[in-house]
Amino acid sequence: MSDTTAQPTGRCYCGCGKEISYGRYFAAGHDKTAEAAFLAIHHGGTVAQMLHAHGYGPDDEHSVTKAAVDKGLWLECPRGCGYRGARESINNHVNLRHKGKP
């Protein structure tokens, strides 16, 4: 495998051979197919094993979501409930879980 960034090729990256539109990597839903195959090959089919292989775990010291926040890629809920996610996910969370609360 190369260390260069993946580039769209006009063919689905899952390997099915399907032609796809410019700038895309996968046909609809095929990203999940590729992800499941990768997990099966490299991590016994589980996300937990993949996280463990990369040094993440269930405690806050090894939390993958905390690492995403610490790297500035994700945010924590501004209401202090502990929820972490991408900016849009945080906005949706606040609107659904904290609507009308100070």
Coordinates of all heavy atoms in Angstrom, one line a residue:
M1 N 0.8 -1.2 0.0 CA 0.0 0.0 0.0 C 0.9 1.3 0.0 O 1.9 1.3 0.6 CB -0.9 0.0 1.2 CG -2.0 -1.0 1.3 SD -3.5 -0.3 0.6 CE -3.8 -1.3 -0.8
S2 N 0.4 2.3 -0.7 CA 1.2 3.5 -0.8 C 0.8 4.5 0.3 O -0.3 4.4 0.9 CB 0.8 4.1 -2.1 OG 1.4 5.4 -2.2
D3 N 1.7 5.4 0.7 CA 1.4 6.4 1.7 C 0.8 7.6 1.1 O 0.5 8.6 1.9 CB 2.7 6.7 2.5 CG 3.1 5.6 3.4 OD1 2.3 4.8 3.8 OD2 4.4 5.5 3.6
T4 N 0.5 7.7 -0.2 CA -0.1 8.8 -0.8 C -1.6 8.9 -0.5 O -2.2 7.8 -0.2 CB 0.2 8.9 -2.3 OG1 -0.4 7.7 -2.9 CG2 1.7 8.9 -2.6
T5 N -2.2 10.0 -0.7 CA -3.6 10.2 -0.5 C -4.4 9.5 -1.6 O -4.0 9.6 -2.8 CB -3.9 11.7 -0.4 OG1 -3.2 12.3 0.6 CG2 -5.4 11.9 -0.2
A6 N -5.5 8.8 -1.2 CA -6.3 8.2 -2.2 C -6.9 9.2 -3.2 O -7.3 10.3 -2.7 CB -7.4 7.4 -1.5
Q7 N -7.0 8.9 -4.4 CA -7.6 9.8 -5.4 C -8.8 9.1 -6.1 O -8.7 7.9 -6.3 CB -6.6 10.2 -6.5 CG -5.4 10.9 -5.9 CD -5.8 12.3 -5.3 OE1 -6.6 13.0 -5.9 NE2 -5.2 12.6 -4.2
P8 N -9.9 9.8 -6.4 CA -11.0 9.2 -7.1 C -10.5 8.8 -8.5 O -9.7 9.5 -9.1 CB -12.0 10.3 -7.1 CG -11.4 11.5 -6.6 CD -10.1 11.2 -6.0
T9 N -11.0 7.7 -8.9 CA -10.5 7.1 -10.2 C -11.7 6.9 -11.2 O -11.4 6.6 -12.4 CB -9.9 5.7 -10.0 OG1 -10.9 4.8 -9.5 CG2 -8.7 5.8 -9.0
G10 N -12.9 7.1 -10.8 CA -14.1 6.9 -11.6 C -14.6 5.5 -11.5 O -15.6 5.1 -12.1
R11 N -13.9 4.7 -10.6 CA -14.4 3.3 -10.3 C -14.5 3.2 -8.8 O -13.8 3.8 -8.0 CB -13.4 2.3 -10.8 CG -13.3 2.3 -12.3 CD -13.5 0.9 -12.8 NE -13.3 0.9 -14.2 CZ -14.3 0.6 -15.0 NH1 -15.5 0.3 -14.6 NH2 -14.2 0.6 -16.4
C12 N -15.5 2.4 -8.3 CA -15.8 2.3 -6.9 C -14.6 1.6 -6.2 O -14.0 0.6 -6.6 CB -17.0 1.4 -6.7 SG -17.5 1.1 -5.0
Y13 N -14.2 2.2 -5.1 CA -13.0 1.8 -4.3 C -13.3 0.5 -3.5 O -12.3 -0.1 -3.0 CB -12.6 2.9 -3.3 CG -11.4 3.6 -3.7 CD1 -11.3 4.4 -4.8 CD2 -10.2 3.5 -2.9 CE1 -10.1 5.1 -5.1 CE2 -9.0 4.2 -3.2 CZ -9.0 4.9 -4.3 OH -7.9 5.6 -4.7
C14 N -14.5 0.0 -3.5 CA -14.7 -1.3 -2.9 C -14.2 -2.5 -3.7 O -14.0 -3.6 -3.2 CB -16.2 -1.6 -2.5 SG -17.2 -2.2 -3.8
G15 N -13.9 -2.2 -5.0 CA -13.4 -3.2 -5.9 C -14.4 -3.9 -6.7 O -14.1 -4.8 -7.5
C16 N -15.7 -3.4 -6.7 CA -16.7 -4.0 -7.5 C -16.6 -3.7 -9.0 O -17.2 -4.4 -9.8 CB -18.1 -3.6 -6.9 SG -18.5 -1.9 -7.3
G17 N -15.8 -2.7 -9.3 CA -15.7 -2.3 -10.7 C -16.7 -1.4 -11.3 O -16.6 -0.9 -12.4
K18 N -17.7 -1.0 -10.4 CA -18.7 -0.1 -10.9 C -18.2 1.3 -11.2 O -17.4 1.8 -10.5 CB -19.8 0.0 -9.8 CG -21.0 0.8 -10.3 CD -22.1 0.8 -9.3 CE -23.3 1.5 -9.8 NZ -24.5 1.3 -9.0
E19 N -18.6 1.9 -12.3 CA -18.2 3.2 -12.7 C -19.1 4.2 -11.8 O -20.2 4.0 -11.6 CB -18.5 3.5 -14.1 CG -17.5 2.8 -15.1 CD -17.7 3.2 -16.5 OE1 -18.1 4.3 -16.8 OE2 -17.3 2.4 -17.4
I20 N -18.4 5.2 -11.3 CA -19.1 6.2 -10.5 C -18.7 7.6 -11.0 O -17.8 7.8 -11.8 CB -18.6 6.1 -9.0 CG1 -17.1 6.1 -8.9 CG2 -19.2 4.8 -8.4 CD1 -16.6 6.1 -7.4
S21 N -19.5 8.6 -10.5 CA -19.3 10.0 -11.0 C -18.0 10.6 -10.5 O -17.4 10.1 -9.5 CB -20.5 10.8 -10.5 OG -20.6 10.9 -9.1
Y22 N -17.6 11.6 -11.2 CA -16.3 12.3 -10.9 C -16.2 12.8 -9.5 O -17.2 13.3 -9.0 CB -16.1 13.4 -11.9 CG -14.9 14.2 -11.7 CD1 -13.7 13.7 -12.1 CD2 -14.9 15.4 -11.0 CE1 -12.5 14.4 -11.9 CE2 -13.7 16.2 -10.8 CZ -12.5 15.6 -11.2 OH -11.4 16.3 -11.0
G23 N -15.1 12.6 -8.8 CA -14.9 13.1 -7.5 C -15.4 12.2 -6.4 O -15.1 12.5 -5.2
R24 N -16.0 11.1 -6.7 CA -16.5 10.1 -5.7 C -15.6 8.9 -5.6 O -14.8 8.6 -6.5 CB -17.9 9.7 -6.1 CG -18.9 10.9 -6.1 CD -20.3 10.4 -6.2 NE -20.6 9.6 -5.0 CZ -21.7 8.8 -4.9 NH1 -22.5 8.8 -5.9 NH2 -21.9 8.1 -3.9
Y25 N -15.6 8.3 -4.5 CA -14.8 7.1 -4.2 C -15.6 5.8 -4.3 O -15.1 4.7 -4.6 CB -14.1 7.2 -2.8 CG -13.0 8.3 -2.8 CD1 -13.4 9.5 -2.3 CD2 -11.7 8.0 -3.2 CE1 -12.4 10.5 -2.2 CE2 -10.8 9.0 -3.1 CZ -11.1 10.2 -2.6 OH -10.2 11.2 -2.5
F26 N -16.9 5.9 -3.9 CA -17.7 4.7 -3.8 C -19.1 4.9 -4.4 O -19.6 6.0 -4.5 CB -18.0 4.4 -2.3 CG -16.8 4.0 -1.5 CD1 -16.1 5.0 -0.7 CD2 -16.3 2.7 -1.6 CE1 -15.0 4.6 0.0 CE2 -15.1 2.4 -0.8 CZ -14.5 3.3 -0.1
A27 N -19.6 3.8 -4.9 CA -21.0 3.8 -5.3 C -21.8 3.8 -4.0 O -21.3 3.5 -2.9 CB -21.3 2.5 -6.1
A28 N -23.1 4.2 -4.1 CA -23.9 4.3 -2.9 C -23.9 3.1 -2.1 O -24.2 2.0 -2.6 CB -25.4 4.7 -3.3
G29 N -23.6 3.2 -0.8 CA -23.5 2.1 0.1 C -22.3 1.3 0.1 O -22.1 0.5 1.0
H30 N -21.5 1.4 -0.9 CA -20.3 0.5 -1.0 C -19.2 0.9 -0.1 O -18.3 0.1 0.2 CB -19.8 0.5 -2.5 CG -20.7 -0.2 -3.4 ND1 -20.3 -0.9 -4.5 CD2 -22.1 -0.3 -3.4 CE1 -21.3 -1.4 -5.2 NE2 -22.4 -1.0 -4.5
D31 N -19.2 2.1 0.5 CA -18.2 2.4 1.5 C -18.4 1.5 2.7 O -17.4 1.1 3.3 CB -18.3 3.9 1.9 CG -19.7 4.4 2.4 OD1 -20.7 3.8 1.9 OD2 -19.7 5.3 3.1
K32 N -19.6 1.2 3.1 CA -19.9 0.4 4.2 C -19.5 -1.1 3.9 O -19.0 -1.8 4.8 CB -21.4 0.4 4.6 CG -21.7 1.8 5.2 CD -20.9 2.0 6.5 CE -21.2 3.4 7.1 NZ -20.3 3.6 8.3
T33 N -19.7 -1.5 2.7 CA -19.2 -2.8 2.2 C -17.7 -3.0 2.4 O -17.2 -3.9 2.9 CB -19.7 -3.1 0.8 OG1 -21.1 -3.0 0.7 CG2 -19.2 -4.5 0.3
A34 N -17.0 -2.0 1.9 CA -15.6 -2.0 1.9 C -15.1 -1.9 3.4 O -14.1 -2.6 3.8 CB -15.0 -0.8 1.1
E35 N -15.7 -1.1 4.2 CA -15.4 -1.0 5.6 C -15.6 -2.3 6.3 O -14.7 -2.8 7.1 CB -16.2 0.1 6.3 CG -16.0 0.3 7.7 CD -16.9 1.4 8.3 OE1 -18.1 1.3 8.1 OE2 -16.3 2.3 8.9
A36 N -16.7 -3.0 6.1 CA -16.9 -4.3 6.7 C -15.9 -5.4 6.3 O -15.5 -6.2 7.1 CB -18.4 -4.8 6.4
A37 N -15.5 -5.3 5.0 CA -14.5 -6.3 4.5 C -13.2 -6.0 5.1 O -12.5 -6.9 5.5 CB -14.4 -6.2 3.0
F38 N -12.8 -4.8 5.2 CA -11.6 -4.4 5.9 C -11.5 -4.8 7.3 O -10.5 -5.4 7.8 CB -11.4 -2.9 5.8 CG -10.1 -2.4 6.4 CD1 -8.9 -2.4 5.6 CD2 -10.0 -2.0 7.7 CE1 -7.7 -1.9 6.1 CE2 -8.8 -1.6 8.2 CZ -7.6 -1.6 7.5
L39 N -12.6 -4.6 8.0 CA -12.7 -5.0 9.4 C -12.6 -6.5 9.6 O -11.9 -7.0 10.5 CB -14.0 -4.5 10.1 CG -14.0 -3.0 10.5 CD1 -15.4 -2.7 11.0 CD2 -13.0 -2.7 11.5
A40 N -13.2 -7.2 8.7 CA -13.2 -8.7 8.7 C -11.7 -9.2 8.5 O -11.2 -10.1 9.2 CB -14.1 -9.3 7.6
I41 N -11.0 -8.6 7.5 CA -9.7 -9.0 7.2 C -8.7 -8.7 8.3 O -7.8 -9.5 8.6 CB -9.2 -8.4 5.8 CG1 -10.0 -8.9 4.7 CG2 -7.7 -8.6 5.6 CD1 -9.9 -8.1 3.4
H42 N -8.8 -7.5 8.8 CA -7.7 -6.9 9.6 C -8.0 -6.9 11.1 O -7.1 -6.8 11.9 CB -7.3 -5.5 9.2 CG -6.7 -5.5 7.8 ND1 -5.5 -5.9 7.5 CD2 -7.3 -5.0 6.7 CE1 -5.3 -5.7 6.2 NE2 -6.3 -5.2 5.7
H43 N -9.3 -7.0 11.5 CA -9.7 -6.8 12.9 C -10.7 -7.7 13.4 O -11.5 -7.4 14.3 CB -10.1 -5.3 13.1 CG -9.0 -4.4 12.8 ND1 -7.8 -4.2 13.5 CD2 -8.9 -3.5 11.7 CE1 -7.1 -3.3 12.9 NE2 -7.7 -2.9 11.8
G44 N -10.8 -8.9 12.8 CA -11.8 -9.9 13.3 C -13.2 -9.5 13.1 O -14.1 -10.0 13.8
G45 N -13.5 -8.5 12.3 CA -14.8 -8.0 12.0 C -15.4 -7.1 13.0 O -16.6 -6.8 13.0
T46 N -14.6 -6.6 14.0 CA -15.2 -5.7 15.0 C -14.4 -4.4 15.1 O -13.2 -4.3 14.9 CB -15.1 -6.3 16.4 OG1 -13.8 -6.3 16.9 CG2 -15.7 -7.7 16.4
V47 N -15.2 -3.3 15.3 CA -14.7 -2.0 15.5 C -13.8 -2.0 16.8 O -12.8 -1.3 16.8 CB -15.8 -0.9 15.5 CG1 -15.2 0.4 15.9 CG2 -16.5 -0.9 14.2
A48 N -14.3 -2.7 17.8 CA -13.5 -2.7 19.1 C -12.1 -3.2 18.9 O -11.2 -2.6 19.4 CB -14.3 -3.6 20.1
Q49 N -11.9 -4.3 18.1 CA -10.6 -4.8 17.8 C -9.8 -3.8 17.0 O -8.6 -3.7 17.3 CB -10.7 -6.1 17.1 CG -11.2 -7.3 18.0 CD -10.4 -7.5 19.3 OE1 -9.2 -7.4 19.3 NE2 -11.1 -7.7 20.4
M50 N -10.4 -3.1 16.1 CA -9.7 -2.1 15.3 C -9.2 -1.0 16.3 O -8.0 -0.5 16.2 CB -10.6 -1.5 14.2 CG -9.9 -0.4 13.4 SD -11.0 0.4 12.2 CE -12.2 1.2 13.3
L51 N -10.1 -0.5 17.1 CA -9.7 0.6 18.0 C -8.6 0.1 19.0 O -7.6 0.9 19.2 CB -10.9 1.0 18.8 CG -12.0 1.7 18.0 CD1 -13.2 2.0 18.9 CD2 -11.5 3.0 17.4
H52 N -8.7 -1.1 19.5 CA -7.7 -1.6 20.4 C -6.3 -1.7 19.6 O -5.3 -1.4 20.2 CB -8.1 -3.0 20.9 CG -7.1 -3.7 21.7 ND1 -6.9 -3.3 23.0 CD2 -6.2 -4.7 21.4 CE1 -5.9 -4.1 23.5 NE2 -5.5 -4.9 22.6
A53 N -6.3 -2.1 18.4 CA -5.1 -2.2 17.6 C -4.4 -0.9 17.4 O -3.2 -0.8 17.3 CB -5.4 -2.9 16.3
H54 N -5.1 0.2 17.5 CA -4.6 1.5 17.4 C -4.4 2.2 18.7 O -4.1 3.4 18.7 CB -5.5 2.4 16.4 CG -5.4 1.9 15.0 ND1 -4.4 2.3 14.2 CD2 -6.1 1.0 14.3 CE1 -4.5 1.7 13.0 NE2 -5.6 0.9 13.1
G55 N -4.6 1.5 19.8 CA -4.3 2.1 21.1 C -5.5 2.7 21.8 O -5.3 3.4 22.9
Y56 N -6.6 2.6 21.2 CA -7.8 3.2 21.9 C -8.5 2.2 22.7 O -8.4 1.0 22.5 CB -8.8 3.8 20.8 CG -8.1 4.9 20.0 CD1 -7.8 4.6 18.7 CD2 -7.9 6.1 20.5 CE1 -7.2 5.6 17.9 CE2 -7.3 7.1 19.8 CZ -6.9 6.8 18.5 OH -6.3 7.8 17.7
G57 N -9.3 2.7 23.7 CA -10.0 1.8 24.6 C -11.2 2.5 25.2 O -11.5 3.7 24.9
P58 N -11.8 1.8 26.2 CA -13.1 2.4 26.8 C -12.9 3.5 27.8 O -13.8 4.2 28.1 CB -13.7 1.1 27.4 CG -12.5 0.2 27.7 CD -11.6 0.5 26.6
D59 N -11.7 3.7 28.3 CA -11.5 4.7 29.3 C -11.2 6.1 28.6 O -10.8 6.1 27.5 CB -10.4 4.4 30.3 CG -9.1 4.1 29.7 OD1 -8.8 4.5 28.6 OD2 -8.2 3.4 30.4
D60 N -11.4 7.1 29.3 CA -11.3 8.5 28.8 C -9.8 8.7 28.3 O -9.6 9.5 27.4 CB -11.7 9.6 29.7 CG -12.2 10.8 29.0 OD1 -12.9 10.7 28.0 OD2 -11.7 11.9 29.4
E61 N -8.9 8.1 29.0 CA -7.4 8.3 28.7 C -7.1 7.8 27.3 O -6.2 8.3 26.6 CB -6.6 7.6 29.7 CG -5.1 7.8 29.5 CD -4.2 7.1 30.5 OE1 -4.7 6.7 31.6 OE2 -3.0 6.9 30.2
H62 N -7.9 6.8 26.8 CA -7.6 6.1 25.6 C -8.8 6.3 24.6 O -8.9 5.5 23.7 CB -7.3 4.6 25.8 CG -6.0 4.5 26.6 ND1 -6.0 4.2 27.9 CD2 -4.7 4.6 26.2 CE1 -4.8 4.1 28.3 NE2 -4.0 4.3 27.3
S63 N -9.7 7.2 24.9 CA -10.9 7.4 24.1 C -10.6 7.9 22.7 O -9.9 8.9 22.5 CB -11.8 8.4 24.8 OG -12.9 8.8 24.0
V64 N -11.2 7.3 21.7 CA -11.0 7.7 20.3 C -11.8 9.0 20.1 O -11.3 9.9 19.4 CB -11.4 6.6 19.3 CG1 -12.9 6.4 19.3 CG2 -10.9 7.0 17.9
T65 N -12.9 9.2 20.8 CA -13.7 10.4 20.6 C -13.0 11.6 21.3 O -13.0 12.7 20.7 CB -15.1 10.3 21.1 OG1 -15.1 9.9 22.5 CG2 -15.9 9.2 20.3
K66 N -12.3 11.4 22.4 CA -11.6 12.4 23.1 C -10.4 12.8 22.2 O -10.0 14.0 22.1 CB -11.1 12.0 24.4 CG -10.4 13.1 25.2 CD -10.0 12.6 26.6 CE -9.4 13.7 27.4 NZ -8.2 14.3 26.9
A67 N -9.7 11.8 21.6 CA -8.6 12.1 20.7 C -9.0 13.0 19.5 O -8.3 13.9 19.1 CB -8.0 10.8 20.2
A68 N -10.2 12.7 19.0 CA -10.7 13.5 17.9 C -11.0 15.0 18.3 O -10.7 15.9 17.6 CB -12.0 12.9 17.3
V69 N -11.5 15.1 19.5 CA -11.7 16.5 20.1 C -10.3 17.1 20.3 O -10.1 18.3 20.0 CB -12.5 16.4 21.4 CG1 -12.5 17.8 22.1 CG2 -13.9 16.0 21.1
D70 N -9.4 16.4 21.0 CA -8.1 17.0 21.3 C -7.3 17.4 20.0 O -6.5 18.4 20.0 CB -7.2 15.9 22.0 CG -7.7 15.7 23.4 OD1 -8.6 16.4 23.9 OD2 -7.2 14.7 24.0
K71 N -7.6 16.7 18.9 CA -6.9 17.1 17.6 C -7.7 18.2 16.9 O -7.3 18.6 15.8 CB -6.8 15.9 16.7 CG -5.8 14.9 17.2 CD -5.6 13.7 16.3 CE -4.6 12.8 16.8 NZ -3.4 12.8 16.0
G72 N -8.8 18.7 17.4 CA -9.5 19.8 16.8 C -10.4 19.3 15.7 O -10.9 20.2 14.9
L73 N -10.6 18.0 15.6 CA -11.5 17.5 14.5 C -12.9 17.4 14.9 O -13.8 17.4 14.0 CB -10.9 16.1 14.0 CG -9.5 16.1 13.6 CD1 -9.0 14.7 13.5 CD2 -9.3 16.9 12.3
W74 N -13.2 17.2 16.1 CA -14.5 17.1 16.7 C -14.7 18.1 17.8 O -13.7 18.7 18.2 CB -14.8 15.7 17.3 CG -15.2 14.6 16.3 CD1 -15.1 14.7 14.9 CD2 -15.8 13.4 16.6 NE1 -15.6 13.6 14.3 CE2 -16.0 12.7 15.3 CE3 -16.2 12.8 17.8 CZ2 -16.6 11.5 15.3 CZ3 -16.7 11.5 17.7 CH2 -17.0 10.9 16.4
L75 N -15.9 18.2 18.3 CA -16.2 19.1 19.4 C -16.9 18.4 20.6 O -17.4 17.3 20.3 CB -17.1 20.2 19.0 CG -16.7 21.1 17.8 CD1 -17.8 22.0 17.3 CD2 -15.5 21.9 18.2
E76 N -16.9 19.0 21.8 CA -17.7 18.4 22.9 C -18.9 19.3 23.0 O -18.9 20.5 22.6 CB -16.9 18.5 24.2 CG -15.8 17.5 24.2 CD -15.3 17.2 25.6 OE1 -16.0 17.5 26.6 OE2 -14.2 16.6 25.7
C77 N -20.0 18.7 23.5 CA -21.2 19.4 23.6 C -21.0 20.6 24.5 O -20.4 20.5 25.6 CB -22.3 18.5 24.3 SG -23.8 19.3 24.6
P78 N -21.4 21.8 24.1 CA -21.2 23.0 24.9 C -22.0 23.0 26.2 O -21.8 23.9 27.0 CB -21.6 24.1 23.9 CG -22.5 23.5 23.0 CD -22.1 22.1 22.8
R79 N -23.0 22.1 26.3 CA -23.8 22.1 27.5 C -23.2 21.2 28.6 O -23.8 21.0 29.6 CB -25.2 21.6 27.1 CG -25.9 22.5 26.1 CD -26.2 23.9 26.6 NE -26.8 24.7 25.6 CZ -28.1 24.9 25.4 NH1 -29.0 24.2 26.1 NH2 -28.5 25.7 24.4
G80 N -22.0 20.6 28.3 CA -21.3 19.8 29.3 C -21.8 18.4 29.6 O -21.5 17.8 30.6
C81 N -22.6 17.9 28.7 CA -23.2 16.5 28.9 C -22.2 15.4 28.6 O -22.5 14.2 28.9 CB -24.5 16.4 28.2 SG -24.3 16.2 26.4
G82 N -21.1 15.7 27.9 CA -20.1 14.7 27.6 C -20.2 14.2 26.2 O -19.3 13.4 25.7
Y83 N -21.2 14.6 25.4 CA -21.4 14.1 24.0 C -20.3 14.7 23.2 O -19.9 15.9 23.3 CB -22.7 14.5 23.5 CG -23.0 14.1 22.1 CD1 -23.4 12.8 21.8 CD2 -22.7 14.9 21.0 CE1 -23.6 12.4 20.5 CE2 -22.9 14.5 19.7 CZ -23.4 13.2 19.4 OH -23.5 12.8 18.1
R84 N -19.7 13.9 22.3 CA -18.7 14.4 21.4 C -19.0 14.0 19.9 O -19.6 13.0 19.7 CB -17.3 13.7 21.7 CG -16.8 14.0 23.1 CD -15.6 13.1 23.4 NE -15.1 13.5 24.7 CZ -14.6 12.6 25.6 NH1 -14.5 11.3 25.2 NH2 -14.1 13.0 26.8
G85 N -18.7 14.9 19.0 CA -19.0 14.6 17.6 C -18.5 15.7 16.7 O -18.0 16.7 17.1
A86 N -18.8 15.5 15.4 CA -18.5 16.5 14.4 C -19.4 17.7 14.6 O -20.4 17.6 15.2 CB -18.7 15.9 13.0
R87 N -19.0 18.8 14.1 CA -19.7 20.1 14.3 C -21.2 19.9 14.0 O -22.0 20.3 14.8 CB -19.1 21.2 13.4 CG -19.8 22.6 13.7 CD -19.1 23.7 12.9 NE -17.7 23.7 13.2 CZ -17.1 24.3 14.2 NH1 -17.8 24.8 15.2 NH2 -15.8 24.3 14.4
E88 N -21.6 19.4 12.9 CA -23.0 19.2 12.5 C -23.7 18.3 13.5 O -24.8 18.5 13.9 CB -23.2 18.7 11.1 CG -24.6 18.8 10.6 CD -25.3 20.1 10.7 OE1 -24.6 21.1 10.5 OE2 -26.5 20.1 11.0
S89 N -23.0 17.2 13.9 CA -23.5 16.3 14.9 C -23.8 17.0 16.2 O -24.8 16.7 16.9 CB -22.5 15.1 15.1 OG -23.0 14.2 16.0
I90 N -22.9 17.9 16.6 CA -23.0 18.6 17.9 C -24.3 19.5 17.8 O -25.1 19.6 18.7 CB -21.8 19.4 18.2 CG1 -20.6 18.5 18.6 CG2 -22.1 20.5 19.3 CD1 -20.8 17.8 19.9
N91 N -24.4 20.2 16.6 CA -25.6 21.1 16.4 C -26.9 20.3 16.5 O -27.8 20.7 17.2 CB -25.5 21.8 15.1 CG -24.4 22.8 15.0 OD1 -23.9 23.3 16.0 ND2 -23.9 23.1 13.8
N92 N -26.9 19.1 15.9 CA -28.1 18.3 15.9 C -28.4 17.8 17.4 O -29.5 17.8 17.8 CB -28.0 17.1 15.0 CG -28.0 17.5 13.5 OD1 -28.6 18.5 13.2 ND2 -27.4 16.7 12.7
H93 N -27.3 17.4 18.0 CA -27.4 16.9 19.4 C -28.0 18.0 20.3 O -28.9 17.7 21.1 CB -26.0 16.5 19.9 CG -26.0 16.3 21.4 ND1 -26.5 15.2 22.1 CD2 -25.5 17.1 22.4 CE1 -26.3 15.3 23.3 NE2 -25.7 16.5 23.6
V94 N -27.4 19.2 20.3 CA -27.9 20.3 21.1 C -29.4 20.6 20.8 O -30.2 20.7 21.7 CB -27.0 21.5 20.9 CG1 -27.7 22.7 21.6 CG2 -25.7 21.3 21.5
N95 N -29.7 20.6 19.5 CA -31.1 20.9 19.2 C -32.1 19.8 19.6 O -33.2 20.1 20.0 CB -31.3 21.1 17.7 CG -30.6 22.4 17.2 OD1 -30.5 23.4 18.0 ND2 -30.2 22.5 16.0
L96 N -31.7 18.6 19.6 CA -32.5 17.5 20.0 C -32.5 17.2 21.5 O -33.6 17.0 22.1 CB -32.1 16.2 19.3 CG -32.4 16.1 17.8 CD1 -31.7 14.9 17.2 CD2 -33.9 16.1 17.6
R97 N -31.4 17.3 22.2 CA -31.3 16.9 23.6 C -31.4 18.0 24.5 O -31.7 17.8 25.7 CB -30.0 16.1 23.8 CG -29.8 14.9 23.0 CD -30.7 13.8 23.5 NE -30.5 12.6 22.6 CZ -31.4 11.8 22.2 NH1 -32.7 12.0 22.6 NH2 -31.2 10.8 21.5
H98 N -31.0 19.2 24.1 CA -31.0 20.3 25.0 C -31.9 21.5 24.6 O -31.8 22.6 25.2 CB -29.6 20.9 25.1 CG -28.5 19.9 25.6 ND1 -28.5 19.4 26.9 CD2 -27.5 19.3 24.9 CE1 -27.5 18.5 27.0 NE2 -26.9 18.4 25.8
K99 N -32.8 21.2 23.7 CA -33.8 22.2 23.2 C -34.6 22.8 24.4 O -35.2 22.0 25.2 CB -34.7 21.6 22.2 CG -35.5 22.7 21.5 CD -36.3 22.1 20.4 CE -37.0 23.2 19.6 NZ -37.6 22.7 18.4
G100 N -34.5 24.1 24.5 CA -35.3 24.8 25.6 C -34.6 24.7 27.0 O -35.2 25.2 27.9
K101 N -33.5 24.1 27.1 CA -32.7 24.0 28.4 C -31.6 25.1 28.4 O -31.0 25.3 27.3 CB -32.1 22.6 28.6 CG -33.1 21.5 28.6 CD -32.5 20.2 28.8 CE -33.5 19.1 28.7 NZ -32.8 17.8 28.7
P102 N -31.4 25.7 29.5 CA -30.3 26.7 29.6 C -28.9 26.1 29.4 O -28.7 25.0 29.5 CB -30.5 27.3 31.0 CG -31.3 26.4 31.7 CD -32.1 25.5 30.8

